Amino acid sequence: MFLDEYARELHQDWEEEARNAVAGLRLADGAHPGDTQIRTVVEMLAERRPHFARHWARHDVREETTALKNLRHRDVGDLTLRMLAFDVRASPGQQRVLFQASPGSSSAEALSLLGALSSTRRRAARVDPR
């Protein structure tokens, strides 16, 4: 969200998504006080990304389990997807995150196209592994 410049292009409401990402990280930090990996990530992002530092200073804590996401994909354009996050019982602390388009919508058609593009690119990479 903060280190890949494509994230700003992909997320149509990057500012809201950034707030949610930081609030989720703060939730993880509270659930695992003293976790050195979380601390390292927070310190690195706070030092390198002023947007992150500003959101971290707000002390928002939130877990996003369902939301509508508006994305703009480089290859297929605008997508509106329902995001659902589920805890993985067998692996505490991990989540499975699903993105789903409404059946018959332009987003569903765009996801089908994206799948076809991805498959074509994988086949081409196997033929010419450059």
Side-chain angles (χ1 to χ4, degrees):
M1 185 59 68
F2 292 95
L3 297 177
D4 186 346
E5 291 303 317
Y6 179 57
R8 286 185 177 270
E9 181 183 330
L10 178 64
H11 296 279
Q12 291 185 28
D13 190 357
W14 182 86
E15 193 66 36
E16 177 68 19
E17 295 299 331
R19 273 193 300 275
N20 288 335
V22 175
L25 183 58
R26 191 168 277 288
L27 180 70
D29 187 45
H32 305 283
D35 185 294
T36 56
Q37 288 180 313
I38 293 173
R39 208 45 23 220
T40 299
V41 168
V42 168
E43 290 171 3
M44 180 271 299
L45 287 173
E47 179 181 305
R48 292 174 59 185
R49 296 296 191 254
H51 274 94
F52 176 87
R54 181 169 44 90
H55 290 305
W56 187 257
R58 293 170 49 114
H59 297 276
D60 291 341
V61 177
R62 169 172 53 257
E63 180 176 37
E64 192 174 50
T65 57
T66 182
L68 225 81
K69 302 291 183 176
N70 295 303
L71 307 173
R72 179 163 292 134
H73 193 277
R74 288 178 179 162
D75 292 329
V76 297
D78 291 350
L79 299 163
T80 299
L81 304 175
R82 167 82 43 205
M83 183 276 300
L84 303 163
F86 303 91
D87 291 334
V88 178
R89 289 184 187 164
S91 298
Q94 291 189 14
Q95 287 188 323
R96 177 168 294 234
V97 181
L98 306 173
F99 291 87
Q100 179 181 34
S102 294
S105 68
S106 60
S107 293
E109 290 174 17
L111 285 180
S112 292
L113 175 58
L114 189 58
L117 288 171
S118 177
S119 178
T120 300
R121 288 174 181 154
R122 280 196 308 273
R123 278 194 302 270
R126 283 191 296 250
V127 172
D128 184 10
R130 281 188 268 158

